[in-house]
Amino acid sequence: MTMAIPGDFTARTEQVQARLTDRNVAGLVLFPSPNLSYLTGFVEEPMERHLLLVVTPAAIRMVAPTMYVEQLNAETDLEHIIAWADADDPLDAVQAALTETELANTDGRVLLDETMFARFVVDLQGLLPDASYGLAGEVLEDLRIIKDDAELTALREAASITDAAWMDVRDRGDELIGKTEQEVVYVLRDAIDAHGGDGFSFEPIVGSGPNGAKPHHRSGDRVIEAGDPVVFDFGTVVDGYPGDQTRTVVIGGEPPADFEEVHAIVHEAFQAGIEAVEPGVTAGSVDVAARSVIEDAGYGDVFLHRTGHGVGLEVHEPPYIVGGNDRILEPGMVHSVEPGIYLEGRFGVRIEDLVVVTEDGCEQLNATSRDWRSR
Amino acid sequence: MTMAIPGDFTARTEQVQARLTDRNVAGLVLFPSPNLSYLTGFVEEPMERHLLLVVTPAAIRMVAPTMYVEQLNAETDLEHIIAWADADDPLDAVQAALTETELANTDGRVLLDETMFARFVVDLQGLLPDASYGLAGEVLEDLRIIKDDAELTALREAASITDAAWMDVRDRGDELIGKTEQEVVYVLRDAIDAHGGDGFSFEPIVGSGPNGAKPHHRSGDRVIEAGDPVVFDFGTVVDGYPGDQTRTVVIGGEPPADFEEVHAIVHEAFQAGIEAVEPGVTAGSVDVAARSVIEDAGYGDVFLHRTGHGVGLEVHEPPYIVGGNDRILEPGMVHSVEPGIYLEGRFGVRIEDLVVVTEDGCEQLNATSRDWRSR
């Protein structure tokens, strides 16, 4: 489905150009990515063809395969598109963009889209051998990290649909016993469709029993049995902005030994993390708040990951809620709080909400029970 | 679902190391990508964390976030994993990998994964400032482009399930009238599930009426009406290998003016492309064979893209069937043949099969009718 990203793209582009000037950066080169969507509204997957946006203080040029021109004209306000056909050498189009934006022959700094493919980096470095290279976040991160009202509306709606889908699935209770994890993914998917979400925001995790102890297990052929703890980590998308929540429940039976205690510790760590979120504190301090609960309970070595990550046009983006991150939280930032304990070969527990940093604390975007009882 | 990629990973790695030596390349650095899957069997999406495979003639090291270690041990034969936790500096782990593989301080050539994110390229160039940089395809493309028996089995099965799903949907006929393109995507998805495919191999295209004239339109809210030409371009995945076929049909009604003639021209171009495929000819010559039919009919300027692309672990990979490509076709290569005509504001027609180059021609992997009549 063609996606509409909300935003004032002209204003964003002007802000980026002003930052290039302020920081004495010669140019910025983007590629199909969240950065490109943020600046132009254009949403496209990374591709092997040269589709690059060149931004300098002086000018903006889009290099695009001919077949994208109609779509770019329809979906963006870009005024200068340098098209190339499959039989052309795309580097001629890139060189034209560098010339027209006065970036050709630069010995200044050029910022590259963080997710630009190395093949395009190597091409650009061949055309601009005297430049030095940095990353686009230098001029985009501080803009993207503070969500405006339109972005917050989309994030709230994505969380709300994610919650509704989760309630549908949780309420199936014993019906989920005997299904494989992958079959449960289909149930989640149908629930998201029914509530109007735009598919999954990332490949969902349904980790049952020992699979729950692998933080990045997706889902597989394991059949869910009565009494299995199951980690459900998923979200949907609204207007390009993702939901992302995790609940760990026990379906139709008695949980394994230690489960209830471990779940209570994770829940306490989760609450400590939520309570630590407020403007003026560091991202790292939120990690410490959640982690210290788990460390004090003796499970510090099996909390295998950071406490959270920002969300926006990307499911993982700054601010990263990780030890040592001195980034100060500010109103309008949105991130996850998701401590977990992973007992290899047995089970895992993770609880996750998204939060918006507010003037005096945070707003939790997810509202469903964090309890482990599935009914 | 955890994906199992078929292949002899030890043999592939040895072949790559031998090529590094032969070509006097100091090292190869991969990132979660089809190249990494091809060499190790490990399948993961690109990520913002440092997960890199360093291969030199002397040694192999994987740099990975701690949370992936269990999965890597379970799913690969990698013997040396340098793990880093979220609170560590991942560049320390990368530096250790460079030292242990004898790549540190190199002033030789380093090959980068084509799809490696620029952020990791910039990191590596900071650690190896005296190296020169090229792309991994230099040692991997010639291996990956020839599919072995296990790969061909997966590709045949993916095509077969894709065909079966298409027949299910095509046989709905008039039932599709009144549905939106996106609703038809759900019908396709359910048909793929029913036949045992592992989801879509790429975001499917259901382009109805004028939307069919945009080659990279996905699907949207447009309601399909009687007599609309509709382009269906989709495929499923088996063991990591994709299907990819296109059919253009008219659903329940009379087609618009010129449609029948345009469809016949595209069909003729498709046949000419198929018949041109044999070992020893250039990829470019197959493009010429298909394109000249469309040019001779006066539609050359609205055949907006190349005639085809290779498929394998990527849906788009070499050999590219594009004018001027001198790559010689060899047995075991697999690619699409997919000419199209796009009449802006009216309709589009595209017909696509995948083919395997054989000893004396090609094997078409798709077997469903290319006719435009939906029944």
Side-chain angles (χ1 to χ4, degrees):
Chain A
M1 191 175 298
T2 299
M3 202 178 283
I5 298 290
D8 181 341
F9 305 108
T10 303
R12 289 176 183 175
T13 303
E14 287 169 1
Q15 284 175 295
V16 164
Q17 286 182 304
R19 279 163 188 255
L20 294 176
T21 302
D22 289 349
R23 291 163 181 263
N24 198 27
V25 174
L28 168 72
V29 185
L30 302 180
F31 161 82
S33 73
N35 281 329
L36 183 65
S37 300
Y38 184 82
L39 268 199
T40 67
F42 181 68
V43 179
E44 187 49 73
E45 294 165 32
M47 67 177 75
E48 80 280 5
R49 289 184 174 93
H50 290 70
L51 196 160
L52 300 171
L53 183 73
V54 180
V55 181
T56 66
I60 299 170
R61 291 292 182 276
M62 175 68 100
V63 172
T66 309
M67 73 175 82
Y68 285 92
V69 171
E70 185 184 343
Q71 191 183 344
L72 284 163
N73 284 330
E75 297 177 8
T76 75
D77 296 325
L78 291 165
E79 291 173 8
H80 302 285
I81 299 171
I82 301 174
W84 61 274
D86 278 348
D88 299 337
D89 181 349
L91 290 188
D92 293 342
V94 177
Q95 183 61 54
L98 298 178
T99 301
E100 293 178 22
T101 56
E102 302 175 18
L103 199 55
N105 305 315
T106 187
D107 59 0
R109 275 166 53 69
V110 173
L111 304 183
L112 304 174
D113 209 336
E114 274 76 2
T115 58
M116 182 185 290
F117 287 172
R119 57 175 296 186
F120 302 115
V121 177
V122 168
D123 278 351
L124 273 170
Q125 291 181 336
L127 295 174
L128 298 175
D130 299 326
S132 60
Y133 290 88
L135 296 173
E138 190 173 322
V139 293
L140 275 159
E141 182 177 315
D142 285 352
L143 293 176
R144 284 184 51 196
I145 203 168
I146 306 293
K147 272 62 183 179
D148 65 24
D149 287 345
E151 293 180 289
L152 291 175
T153 297
L155 285 162
R156 287 191 185 101
E157 179 70 5
S160 170
I161 294 176
T162 301
D163 279 3
W166 165 240
M167 291 304 290
D168 281 2
V169 173
R170 201 195 66 172
D171 288 348
R172 298 280 192 108
D174 294 356
E175 287 176 44
L176 301 177
I177 297 172
K179 289 191 192 293
T180 67
E181 294 167 347
Q182 185 58 39
E183 286 168 346
V184 172
V185 168
Y186 297 146
V187 176
L188 280 170
R189 188 182 70 182
D190 291 343
I192 283 174
D193 289 350
H195 288 282
D198 185 16
F200 286 118
S201 47
F202 55 93
E203 199 185 330
I205 295 172
V206 175
S208 67
N211 288 338
K214 304 173 195 169
H216 281 248
H217 173 78
R218 308 292 188 181
S219 64
D221 293 332
R222 187 177 181 284
V223 173
I224 296 172
E225 295 170 22
D228 276 345
V230 186
V231 178
F232 292 85
D233 184 350
F234 72 97
T236 187
V237 178
V238 170
D239 291 347
Y241 287 81
D244 184 5
Q245 65 84 57
T246 307
R247 297 291 182 264
T248 304
V249 298
V250 173
I251 295 177
E254 285 305 302
D258 305 328
F259 174 82
E260 202 164 350
E261 179 202 344
V262 167
H263 193 282
I265 294 163
V266 172
H267 196 180
E268 190 187 336
F270 167 82
Q271 284 297 348
I274 296 287
E275 284 160 22
V277 178
E278 60 182 0
V281 306
T282 66
S285 73
V286 176
D287 183 80
V288 169
R291 191 170 304 275
S292 60
V293 172
I294 291 177
E295 286 173 345
D296 291 350
Y299 289 99
D301 57 334
V302 288
F303 176 10
L304 299 176
H305 52 75
R306 61 195 173 205
T307 293
H309 55 83
V311 298
L313 287 174
E314 292 174 279
V315 181
H316 290 178
E317 63 174 46
Y320 292 104
I321 310 301
V322 59
N325 185 355
D326 292 332
R327 164 69 85 162
I328 302 293
L329 298 184
E330 298 174 58
M333 292 184 181
V334 180
H335 65 81
S336 69
V337 174
E338 50 176 313
I341 291 178
Y342 305 94
L343 302 183
E344 191 175 334
R346 297 186 60 207
F347 61 81
V349 175
R350 183 167 64 256
I351 301 173
E352 173 184 25
D353 276 14
L354 295 184
V355 301
V356 185
V357 183
T358 60
E359 294 297 334
D360 57 0
C362 74
E363 169 193 349
Q364 280 168 269
L365 295 185
N366 300 96
T368 64
S369 168
R370 289 111 199 149
D371 196 4
W372 59 267
R373 292 167 189 85
S374 66
R375 287 274 189 181
Chain B
M1 192 175 299
T2 300
M3 203 178 281
I5 298 288
D8 181 342
F9 305 109
T10 303
R12 289 177 183 174
T13 303
E14 287 170 0
Q15 284 175 296
V16 164
Q17 286 183 305
R19 280 163 187 254
L20 294 176
T21 302
D22 289 348
R23 290 163 182 264
N24 198 26
V25 174
L28 168 72
V29 186
L30 302 180
F31 160 83
S33 74
N35 281 330
L36 183 64
S37 299
Y38 184 81
L39 268 199
T40 67
F42 181 67
V43 179
E44 187 48 74
E45 294 165 31
M47 67 177 74
E48 79 280 6
R49 290 184 174 94
H50 290 70
L51 196 160
L52 300 170
L53 182 74
V54 181
V55 181
T56 66
I60 299 170
R61 290 293 181 277
M62 174 69 100
V63 173
T66 308
M67 73 175 81
Y68 285 93
V69 172
E70 186 184 342
Q71 191 183 344
L72 285 163
N73 284 329
E75 297 177 8
T76 76
D77 296 326
L78 291 165
E79 291 173 10
H80 302 285
I81 299 172
I82 301 174
W84 60 274
D86 278 348
D88 299 337
D89 182 349
L91 290 189
D92 293 342
V94 177
Q95 183 62 55
L98 299 178
T99 301
E100 294 178 22
T101 56
E102 302 175 18
L103 198 56
N105 306 315
T106 186
D107 58 0
R109 275 167 53 70
V110 173
L111 303 183
L112 303 174
D113 209 336
E114 275 76 1
T115 58
M116 181 185 292
F117 288 172
R119 55 174 297 184
F120 302 114
V121 177
V122 168
D123 279 352
L124 273 170
Q125 292 181 336
L127 295 175
L128 298 175
D130 300 326
S132 60
Y133 291 88
L135 296 173
E138 191 173 322
V139 293
L140 275 159
E141 182 178 314
D142 285 352
L143 292 177
R144 284 184 52 196
I145 204 168
I146 306 293
K147 273 62 184 179
D148 64 25
D149 287 345
E151 293 179 289
L152 290 175
T153 298
L155 285 160
R156 288 191 185 100
E157 178 71 6
S160 171
I161 295 176
T162 301
D163 279 3
W166 166 239
M167 292 304 290
D168 281 3
V169 173
R170 201 195 66 171
D171 287 348
R172 298 280 192 108
D174 293 356
E175 287 175 43
L176 301 177
I177 297 171
K179 288 189 191 294
T180 66
E181 295 166 347
Q182 185 58 39
E183 286 167 346
V184 173
V185 167
Y186 297 147
V187 176
L188 280 171
R189 187 181 72 182
D190 291 344
I192 284 173
D193 289 350
H195 288 281
D198 185 15
F200 286 119
S201 48
F202 56 92
E203 199 184 329
I205 295 172
V206 176
S208 67
N211 288 338
K214 303 174 195 169
H216 281 248
H217 173 78
R218 309 292 188 181
S219 64
D221 294 333
R222 187 176 181 284
V223 173
I224 295 172
E225 294 170 23
D228 276 345
V230 186
V231 178
F232 291 85
D233 184 351
F234 72 97
T236 188
V237 178
V238 170
D239 291 346
Y241 287 81
D244 184 5
Q245 65 84 56
T246 307
R247 296 291 182 264
T248 304
V249 297
V250 173
I251 295 177
E254 285 305 303
D258 306 328
F259 174 82
E260 203 163 349
E261 178 202 345
V262 167
H263 193 282
I265 295 162
V266 172
H267 196 179
E268 189 186 337
F270 168 82
Q271 284 296 348
I274 296 286
E275 284 160 22
V277 178
E278 61 181 359
V281 306
T282 66
S285 73
V286 176
D287 184 79
V288 168
R291 191 170 305 276
S292 60
V293 172
I294 291 177
E295 285 174 345
D296 290 349
Y299 289 99
D301 58 332
V302 287
F303 177 9
L304 299 176
H305 52 76
R306 62 195 172 202
T307 293
H309 54 85
V311 299
L313 287 173
E314 292 174 280
V315 180
H316 290 178
E317 63 174 44
Y320 292 104
I321 310 301
V322 59
N325 185 355
D326 292 332
R327 163 70 85 163
I328 302 294
L329 298 185
E330 297 173 58
M333 292 184 181
V334 180
H335 65 80
S336 70
V337 174
E338 51 176 311
I341 291 178
Y342 305 93
L343 301 183
E344 191 175 334
R346 298 186 60 206
F347 61 82
V349 175
R350 182 166 63 257
I351 301 174
E352 172 185 25
D353 276 13
L354 296 184
V355 300
V356 186
V357 183
T358 59
E359 294 297 334
D360 58 0
C362 74
E363 168 193 350
Q364 279 169 270
L365 295 185
N366 300 96
T368 64
S369 168
R370 289 113 199 148
D371 195 4
W372 59 266
R373 291 167 189 85
S374 67
R375 288 273 190 182

